[in-house]
Short mmCIF file of all heavy atoms in Angstrom, two decimals:
data_model
loop_
_atom_site.label_atom_id
_atom_site.label_comp_id
_atom_site.label_asym_id
_atom_site.label_seq_id
_atom_site.Cartn_x
_atom_site.Cartn_y
_atom_site.Cartn_z
N ARG A 308 105.58 102.80 84.41
CA ARG A 308 106.33 101.66 84.95
C ARG A 308 107.72 101.51 84.32
O ARG A 308 108.70 101.27 85.05
CB ARG A 308 105.52 100.38 84.77
CG ARG A 308 106.16 99.16 85.45
CD ARG A 308 105.27 97.94 85.30
NE ARG A 308 105.22 97.47 83.93
CZ ARG A 308 104.29 96.66 83.45
NH1 ARG A 308 103.32 96.23 84.24
NH2 ARG A 308 104.31 96.26 82.19
N ARG A 350 76.78 95.20 95.84
CA ARG A 350 76.93 93.75 95.71
C ARG A 350 78.27 93.27 96.25
O ARG A 350 78.42 92.09 96.61
CB ARG A 350 76.81 93.34 94.23
CG ARG A 350 75.47 93.64 93.61
CD ARG A 350 75.54 93.43 92.12
NE ARG A 350 76.54 94.30 91.48
CZ ARG A 350 76.91 94.21 90.20
NH1 ARG A 350 76.38 93.27 89.43
NH2 ARG A 350 77.81 95.04 89.72
N GLU A 389 96.38 97.09 105.32
CA GLU A 389 97.13 96.39 106.37
C GLU A 389 98.58 96.87 106.32
O GLU A 389 99.24 96.76 105.28
CB GLU A 389 97.06 94.88 106.19
CG GLU A 389 97.65 94.12 107.36
CD GLU A 389 97.31 92.64 107.34
OE1 GLU A 389 96.15 92.29 107.00
OE2 GLU A 389 98.20 91.82 107.67
N LEU A 442 91.61 99.53 109.21
CA LEU A 442 93.07 99.52 109.22
C LEU A 442 93.54 98.30 110.00
O LEU A 442 93.18 98.12 111.17
CB LEU A 442 93.61 100.78 109.87
CG LEU A 442 95.14 100.83 110.09
CD1 LEU A 442 95.86 100.86 108.74
CD2 LEU A 442 95.53 102.03 110.93
N GLU A 454 123.06 87.97 112.85
CA GLU A 454 124.10 87.60 113.82
C GLU A 454 123.57 87.48 115.25
O GLU A 454 124.31 87.10 116.16
CB GLU A 454 125.24 88.63 113.79
CG GLU A 454 125.85 88.84 112.40
CD GLU A 454 126.39 87.56 111.81
OE1 GLU A 454 126.96 86.75 112.57
OE2 GLU A 454 126.25 87.37 110.59
N ARG A 472 99.80 95.43 122.91
CA ARG A 472 99.38 96.45 123.88
C ARG A 472 99.54 97.85 123.32
O ARG A 472 98.69 98.72 123.53
CB ARG A 472 100.20 96.29 125.16
CG ARG A 472 99.78 95.13 126.04
CD ARG A 472 100.68 94.99 127.24
NE ARG A 472 100.17 94.00 128.19
CZ ARG A 472 100.93 93.36 129.06
NH1 ARG A 472 102.24 93.59 129.10
NH2 ARG A 472 100.39 92.48 129.89
N LEU A 474 99.70 98.81 120.07
CA LEU A 474 99.05 99.10 118.80
C LEU A 474 97.57 98.76 118.76
O LEU A 474 96.88 99.16 117.81
CB LEU A 474 99.77 98.33 117.68
CG LEU A 474 101.22 98.75 117.44
CD1 LEU A 474 101.95 97.69 116.62
CD2 LEU A 474 101.29 100.10 116.74
N PRO A 488 108.84 84.37 105.92
CA PRO A 488 109.73 83.46 105.18
C PRO A 488 111.18 83.92 105.14
O PRO A 488 112.04 83.18 104.70
CB PRO A 488 109.12 83.46 103.77
CG PRO A 488 108.44 84.78 103.66
CD PRO A 488 107.90 85.08 105.05
N ARG A 494 110.28 81.45 110.42
CA ARG A 494 109.97 80.17 109.78
C ARG A 494 109.76 79.08 110.81
O ARG A 494 108.98 78.16 110.62
CB ARG A 494 111.09 79.78 108.82
CG ARG A 494 111.17 80.66 107.58
CD ARG A 494 112.11 80.05 106.55
NE ARG A 494 113.48 79.97 107.03
CZ ARG A 494 114.38 80.92 106.85
NH1 ARG A 494 114.04 82.05 106.25
NH2 ARG A 494 115.62 80.78 107.28
N CYS A 501 103.97 73.77 120.96
CA CYS A 501 104.01 74.26 122.33
C CYS A 501 104.27 75.76 122.38
O CYS A 501 103.68 76.49 123.18
CB CYS A 501 105.06 73.51 123.13
SG CYS A 501 104.66 71.76 123.42
N VAL A 503 103.57 77.94 120.00
CA VAL A 503 102.38 78.63 119.49
C VAL A 503 101.29 78.66 120.56
O VAL A 503 100.63 79.68 120.77
CB VAL A 503 101.87 77.94 118.21
CG1 VAL A 503 100.51 78.50 117.80
CG2 VAL A 503 102.88 78.13 117.07
N SER A 516 89.98 93.33 122.18
CA SER A 516 88.62 93.61 121.74
C SER A 516 88.53 93.77 120.23
O SER A 516 87.43 93.88 119.67
CB SER A 516 88.10 94.88 122.42
OG SER A 516 88.90 96.01 122.07
N ASP A 528 102.05 69.52 105.02
CA ASP A 528 101.08 68.46 104.80
C ASP A 528 99.84 68.72 105.65
O ASP A 528 99.82 69.60 106.51
CB ASP A 528 101.67 67.09 105.13
CG ASP A 528 102.30 67.03 106.51
OD1 ASP A 528 101.62 67.42 107.50
OD2 ASP A 528 103.46 66.60 106.62
N PHE A 535 98.03 72.48 113.83
CA PHE A 535 98.01 73.92 114.09
C PHE A 535 96.59 74.40 114.38
O PHE A 535 96.35 75.16 115.33
CB PHE A 535 98.58 74.68 112.90
CG PHE A 535 98.46 76.17 113.05
CD1 PHE A 535 99.37 76.88 113.83
CD2 PHE A 535 97.45 76.86 112.43
CE1 PHE A 535 99.25 78.25 113.98
CE2 PHE A 535 97.31 78.24 112.57
CZ PHE A 535 98.22 78.93 113.35
N ALA A 568 120.11 82.67 92.05
CA ALA A 568 120.85 82.33 93.27
C ALA A 568 121.38 83.57 93.98
O ALA A 568 121.65 83.53 95.18
CB ALA A 568 121.99 81.38 92.94
N TYR A 591 90.08 76.22 104.11
CA TYR A 591 88.62 76.34 104.04
C TYR A 591 87.93 75.01 104.32
O TYR A 591 86.86 74.96 104.93
CB TYR A 591 88.21 76.88 102.68
CG TYR A 591 86.75 77.26 102.60
CD1 TYR A 591 86.28 78.42 103.22
CD2 TYR A 591 85.84 76.47 101.91
CE1 TYR A 591 84.94 78.78 103.16
CE2 TYR A 591 84.50 76.82 101.83
CZ TYR A 591 84.06 77.97 102.46
OH TYR A 591 82.72 78.32 102.40
N GLY A 605 98.31 86.86 97.16
CA GLY A 605 99.34 86.15 96.42
C GLY A 605 98.94 85.96 94.97
O GLY A 605 98.10 85.11 94.65
N ASP A 612 91.55 86.76 89.13
CA ASP A 612 92.43 86.24 90.19
C ASP A 612 91.79 86.38 91.56
O ASP A 612 91.82 85.46 92.39
CB ASP A 612 93.76 86.99 90.20
CG ASP A 612 94.56 86.83 88.91
OD1 ASP A 612 94.38 85.81 88.23
OD2 ASP A 612 95.38 87.73 88.62
N TYR A 632 103.19 96.59 89.62
CA TYR A 632 103.22 96.33 88.18
C TYR A 632 102.10 97.03 87.41
O TYR A 632 102.28 97.39 86.25
CB TYR A 632 103.16 94.83 87.93
CG TYR A 632 104.50 94.14 88.06
CD1 TYR A 632 104.93 93.65 89.29
CD2 TYR A 632 105.34 94.00 86.97
CE1 TYR A 632 106.17 93.03 89.42
CE2 TYR A 632 106.58 93.38 87.09
CZ TYR A 632 106.99 92.91 88.31
OH TYR A 632 108.22 92.30 88.45
N GLU A 658 79.52 87.74 98.99
CA GLU A 658 79.57 86.70 100.03
C GLU A 658 79.02 85.37 99.54
O GLU A 658 79.41 84.32 100.02
CB GLU A 658 78.80 87.17 101.26
CG GLU A 658 79.46 88.33 102.00
CD GLU A 658 78.64 88.80 103.19
OE1 GLU A 658 77.43 88.48 103.23
OE2 GLU A 658 79.20 89.48 104.07
N ASP A 659 78.12 85.42 98.54
CA ASP A 659 77.53 84.20 98.01
C ASP A 659 78.55 83.36 97.24
O ASP A 659 78.33 82.17 96.99
CB ASP A 659 76.35 84.52 97.09
CG ASP A 659 75.22 85.23 97.81
OD1 ASP A 659 75.10 85.06 99.03
OD2 ASP A 659 74.48 85.98 97.14
#
Side-chain angles (χ1 to χ4, degrees):
R308 187 177 69 197
R350 297 170 300 172
E389 188 167 320
L442 174 65
E454 305 302 322
R472 284 176 172 156
L474 295 164
R494 290 192 297 269
C501 292
V503 171
S516 62
D528 52 51
F535 174 80
Y591 190 74
D612 297 335
Y632 279 88
E658 292 178 342
D659 298 334

